[in-house]
Amino acid sequence: MKEILDAILNEETSAAEYAALKLPESYRAITLHKDEQEMFAGQESRDKDPRKSLHLDEITLPELGPGEALVAVMASAVNYNTVWSSIFEPVSTFSFLERYGRLSPEAARHDQPFHVLGSDLAGVVLRTGPGVHAWKPGDQVVAHCLSVELESADGHNDTMLDPEQRIWGFETNYGGLAEIALVKSNQLMPKPKHLTWEEAASPGLVNSTAYRQLVSRNGAGMKQGDNVLIWGASGGLGSYATQYALAGGANPICVVSSEAKAKICEAMGAEAIIDRSAEGYKFWKDEHNQDPREWKRFGGKIRELTGGEDVDIVFEHPGRETFGASVYVTRKGGTVVTCASTSGYMHQYDNRYLWMSLKRIVGSHFANYREAWEANRLIAKGKIHPTLSKTYTLAETGQASLDVHQNKHQGKVGVLCLAPEEGLGVTDHELRAKHIDAINRFRGE
């Protein structure tokens, strides 16, 4: 690995020299162990500790197949799917690997007694398999997390509809929380030149997800002037939704859980902010019953901030805790667009407020390649900025995941993999200087 890292740190290394590098037989990676799937049995979700289930192991280098690439990972990041994987909820990810492994001999490589996690990366291409022409050794890249087979017609209008669509590093093995990752070549995109490795790695999953959910015609199709309610507006996903709303001429109504997170939203340019902790909203009376009076009080607060208007779009991802309120406060004919369910998957809402007011609920999941490419292009042009707040070493991934699990983080939490320190990888210093304040906005909070 030292020779690979030395080549990356030397800006003069040529593609031929990268292609001639000897690949190691093994590399370090963050893994789950299949024989530990029941380690948290009987515990509440909040009590499950990712530090106990995540391991730093030495993994044998996987065989490179057609249409694939091996990438030296300089940096990665922690997502909620890392947390879900680490606590084996809602199901163990080994069920995903077993199912994938039955698909083909090539897919069988993914069904292992270990699972290398991670759905983000920034790094350098080391090798490409047969049939790969768009990328070569030495290319600096980031990767989106959509893995598809595209052997069915269903995926050719929108690749997210492919029956064999999976999230890399969650539903596949050999993810990005490692020194080397195995990806399909159509996951690769150019690394933004003005960002460090850790900054470039952090937007991938959440930036693309927010783009499809809010901007794309496959999601809410946001337009200028829309009032957009954004839950968790300073978090890993919501911070990008807030930026897209502002950049697209919409009016974000940012919901946060602390004064510090409200200040982050103000720094991004948002004016309408609701600190739900300060307001004391309790949408559930008990485990089984919601409180419509709190929905109404919440809707009244929104109208105070919008000049009497209801929201056109709700950017939903907390799920069970907030979904009833989200449906209620959406304007007549408006849209609730939902991905994930970080507070629970079993949503409840009063259907009268949906059907009688002609509202829509739209499901959104990650992004197709084109949407991911567009989202990355906006990062590369300095129109949207990474929201990295803190970076950990690969060995500290368990602690990083615990912080996300306990909502102690702002924006995104990064992980250094091969990169020996922060601050490396910038090649466009002029563009970086222009946007340095926005790039560092989430730091130090």
Side-chain angles (χ1 to χ4, degrees):
M1 296 306 303
K2 183 179 184 303
E3 290 183 4
I4 292 174
L5 179 58
D6 288 344
I8 295 172
L9 296 179
N10 179 4
E11 296 181 3
E12 303 301 318
T13 304
S14 67
E17 289 171 321
Y18 273 109
L21 285 171
K22 182 180 179 180
L23 297 185
E25 294 181 357
S26 64
Y27 62 95
R28 297 191 310 154
I30 296 298
T31 69
L32 295 173
H33 293 177
K34 192 172 187 177
D35 60 6
E36 294 180 346
Q37 295 176 85
E38 301 300 323
M39 68 185 301
F40 297 126
Q43 295 184 32
E44 294 290 335
S45 294
R46 62 178 176 273
D47 297 327
K48 298 178 181 180
D49 189 344
R51 295 174 300 181
K52 296 179 180 179
S53 58
L54 296 177
H55 305 276
L56 180 58
D57 288 335
E58 194 78 13
I59 295 299
T60 300
L61 189 73
E63 181 181 348
L64 183 63
E68 295 180 339
L70 288 170
V71 179
V73 184
M74 294 298 278
S76 185
V78 172
N79 292 290
Y80 267 102
N81 71 14
T82 313
V83 175
W84 296 329
S85 300
S86 71
I87 62 175
F88 303 104
E89 289 189 9
V91 296
S92 167
T93 55
F94 288 98
S95 64
F96 302 147
L97 303 187
E98 291 167 2
R99 190 179 309 121
Y100 190 24
R102 293 192 290 267
L103 183 65
S104 68
E106 291 77 16
R109 292 170 299 163
H110 292 260
D111 184 7
Q112 301 289 346
F114 59 84
H115 187 183
V116 180
L117 303 179
S119 299
D120 286 322
L121 74 72
V124 177
V125 175
L126 295 176
R127 294 286 192 278
T128 57
V132 178
H133 308 293
W135 305 98
K136 64 182 185 302
D139 285 343
Q140 295 191 355
V141 294
V142 294
H144 69 78
C145 64
L146 173 61
S147 174
V148 289
E149 305 303 318
L150 291 182
E151 292 187 303
S152 166
D154 293 349
H156 283 262
N157 188 38
D158 177 5
T159 47
M160 286 302 299
L161 299 180
D162 184 19
E164 298 297 337
Q165 173 270 319
R166 292 174 175 84
I167 298 299
W168 162 73
F170 179 57
E171 296 167 299
T172 77
N173 217 328
Y174 305 110
L177 286 165
E179 294 175 330
I180 294 177
L182 177 69
V183 300
K184 293 182 183 295
S185 65
N186 59 17
Q187 290 178 240
L188 299 177
M189 304 180 293
K191 173 192 173 291
K193 296 180 179 180
H194 67 297
L195 299 181
T196 65
W197 293 112
E198 62 274 12
E199 291 162 356
S202 66
L205 185 151
V206 286
N207 182 42
S208 300
T209 299
Y211 181 91
R212 180 182 175 107
Q213 189 173 353
L214 196 56
V215 179
S216 169
R217 68 187 67 179
N218 289 314
M222 182 191 71
K223 66 182 185 303
Q224 289 179 323
D226 278 346
N227 291 316
V228 182
L229 181 70
I230 301 171
W231 293 102
S234 73
L237 185 60
S239 58
Y240 287 96
T242 300
Q243 291 187 72
Y244 279 117
L246 291 166
N251 173 38
I253 297 91
C254 298
V255 185
V256 296
S257 59
S258 70
E259 183 179 353
K261 293 181 178 182
K263 289 181 179 178
I264 284 286
C265 293
E266 290 175 358
M268 284 190 285
E271 297 179 355
I273 302 170
I274 299 174
D275 182 345
R276 58 184 300 195
S277 296
E279 298 285 343
Y281 295 112
K282 294 183 179 179
F283 299 131
W284 287 82
K285 297 177 183 178
D286 53 46
E287 185 180 350
H288 303 290
N289 298 286
Q290 297 189 64
D291 189 347
R293 293 173 300 180
E294 287 291 88
W295 300 347
K296 186 174 293 186
R297 185 165 75 91
F298 182 57
K301 182 64 177 180
I302 291 170
R303 293 189 197 100
E304 286 180 22
L305 297 172
T306 60
E309 297 179 342
D310 292 323
V311 292
D312 300 277
I313 299 168
V314 179
F315 186 87
E316 247 289 347
H317 52 99
R320 177 178 171 81
E321 183 181 352
T322 59
F323 205 82
S326 293
V327 171
Y328 179 84
V329 301
T330 306
R331 73 162 177 83
K332 190 170 185 176
T335 301
V336 178
V337 60
T338 178
C339 79
S341 290
T342 54
S343 68
Y345 301 94
M346 299 302 291
H347 300 184
Q348 293 182 20
Y349 61 91
D350 188 329
N351 198 46
R352 292 173 297 177
Y353 298 113
L354 184 80
W355 116 65
M356 296 179 71
S357 293
L358 292 86
K359 303 176 185 181
R360 297 186 305 147
I361 296 174
V362 176
S364 185
H365 183 42
F366 188 59
N368 62 38
Y369 193 8
R370 184 62 191 173
E371 290 161 341
W373 189 281
E374 289 292 339
N376 184 64
R377 175 175 172 268
L378 291 170
I379 295 280
K381 286 183 170 293
K383 303 293 186 182
I384 301 294
H385 305 288
T387 61
L388 185 69
S389 61
K390 190 174 183 179
T391 302
Y392 294 80
T393 66
L394 191 60
E396 296 170 331
T397 302
Q399 183 62 52
S401 300
L402 180 64
D403 287 354
V404 175
H405 184 30
Q406 297 180 340
N407 199 30
K408 293 181 177 179
H409 67 304
Q410 298 270 34
K412 280 298 292 285
V413 171
V415 176
L416 296 179
C417 297
L418 276 175
E421 61 188 34
E422 296 183 53
L424 304 176
V426 177
T427 56
D428 188 339
H429 295 277
E430 183 178 352
L431 184 60
R432 181 176 183 81
K434 182 178 178 181
H435 297 293
I436 192 63
D437 289 343
I439 292 170
N440 288 329
R441 185 179 288 141
F442 281 69
R443 294 285 196 169
E445 295 296 328

